[in-house]
Amino acid sequence: MTQLNITFPDSEQLDQNEEYFILNREEKIKFHDYIRIFQTPHLYETVFHQHLKCQSPTVIANLLFKQVKANDSIEQLRILDFGAGNGLVARALSKGNPELIVGVDILEEAKQAALCERDDIYKDYLVADLTKAELDIIKKLRSLHLNAMVTVAALGFDHIPPESFINAFNLVEPNGWIAFNLRDRFLSNSDDSGFKEILEGNQDDCMQILEEKTYVHRLNTKGEPIHYTAIVAKKLKDIKPL
């Protein structure tokens, strides 16, 4: 693997959606410039997992497996990896030997990175915007009889909007499994992302939350912890579209 030299700003206190790094001492790349990051093999995991100690894929997968094993079989999971990126979440999920994993991401660059680095994990990988997905995409996903959806570090920050999350949730069959995480701020009373409202408005009606866990998602560029909350739930019925 090509050596990647990564440095971070040492004097700035940046919000999560403003963070950046310097690649090979010359190129400034913002953390959320995923198109650029996915164009360089293994750059994503070098920055976020090796340097910033991101542990969300493992945390979410393990919490999901814990709940499934208490009630069901991991080997029968048919998982929608929503906001799949370059496949690190699918790699964590594949350790449970689920029946299948299908990836969905809005970026072609994410798909190419995933297929280049982890081409043996996915049953399929679709490039689609589920906010306004075409009928053939929806039909294809429904034909897989998905019984689980996992989305990690993809909600909020102008990534996956609430409408798209609801549409993905509704692709999962009733009594299926839902596992995702949110930055702690998106669960506060000052949240304006819409996700807190979705959870509060649909808990016990459309989903039964089985476990919540607040943990360190990763470090910021100053080496300080960023906390997220992981949620595992059972789907009871579809959420009414916004």
Side-chain angles (χ1 to χ4, degrees), residues 25-213:
R25 299 186 176 87
E26 58 183 22
E27 184 180 1
K28 176 181 175 179
I29 302 175
K30 296 192 73 171
F31 278 17
H32 291 170
D33 186 0
Y34 295 118
I35 291 177
R36 172 62 190 90
I37 291 172
F38 290 143
Q39 288 172 341
T40 298
H42 305 290
L43 179 56
Y44 184 95
E45 54 261 53
T46 299
V47 173
F48 295 105
H49 290 257
Q50 294 181 23
H51 286 274
L52 300 180
K53 310 303 180 186
C54 179
Q55 57 180 344
S56 283
T58 299
V59 168
I60 303 299
N62 287 345
L63 288 177
L64 174 63
F65 293 161
K66 172 187 170 184
Q67 291 297 327
V68 172
K69 283 192 290 187
N71 301 275
D72 210 335
S73 169
I74 296 173
E75 290 78 10
Q76 293 179 357
L77 290 179
R78 304 171 67 84
I79 303 172
L80 170 61
D81 179 11
F82 185 43
N86 68 339
L88 288 174
V89 175
R91 183 177 68 182
L93 293 169
S94 70
K95 295 179 181 179
N97 194 31
E99 185 174 340
L100 68 83
I101 304 173
V102 58
V104 171
D105 200 285
I106 198 171
L107 297 177
E108 177 66 31
E109 290 83 0
K111 176 181 179 179
Q112 294 307 317
L115 297 184
C116 175
E117 300 168 24
R118 276 165 279 277
D119 64 345
D120 58 338
I121 292 178
Y122 288 105
K123 169 73 173 180
D124 202 351
Y125 193 121
L126 306 177
V127 176
D129 179 356
L130 292 190
T131 305
K132 51 185 178 182
E134 297 179 1
L135 186 59
D136 61 334
I137 295 290
I138 298 300
K139 285 183 175 179
K140 186 169 188 177
L141 289 170
R142 288 198 182 281
S143 73
L144 295 173
H145 301 289
L146 300 165
N147 60 14
M149 180 191 76
V150 176
T151 183
V152 176
L155 304 179
F157 296 111
D158 297 322
H159 297 341
I160 293 175
E163 298 89 340
S164 191
F165 174 82
I166 290 172
N167 290 340
F169 180 99
N170 290 346
L171 289 169
V172 177
E173 296 185 339
N175 296 313
W177 299 90
I178 308 295
F180 60 98
N181 65 350
L182 283 164
R183 176 76 189 264
D184 49 4
R185 70 174 63 166
F186 297 137
L187 296 171
S188 70
N189 290 330
S190 60
D191 168 60
D192 61 0
S193 71
F195 287 105
K196 185 173 189 292
E197 181 180 353
I198 289 174
L199 291 177
E200 292 183 345
N202 294 283
Q203 187 173 343
D204 300 325
D205 183 24
C206 298
M207 73 176 86
Q208 176 190 5
I209 294 180
L210 301 175
E211 185 168 3
E212 293 186 44
K213 178 180 180 179

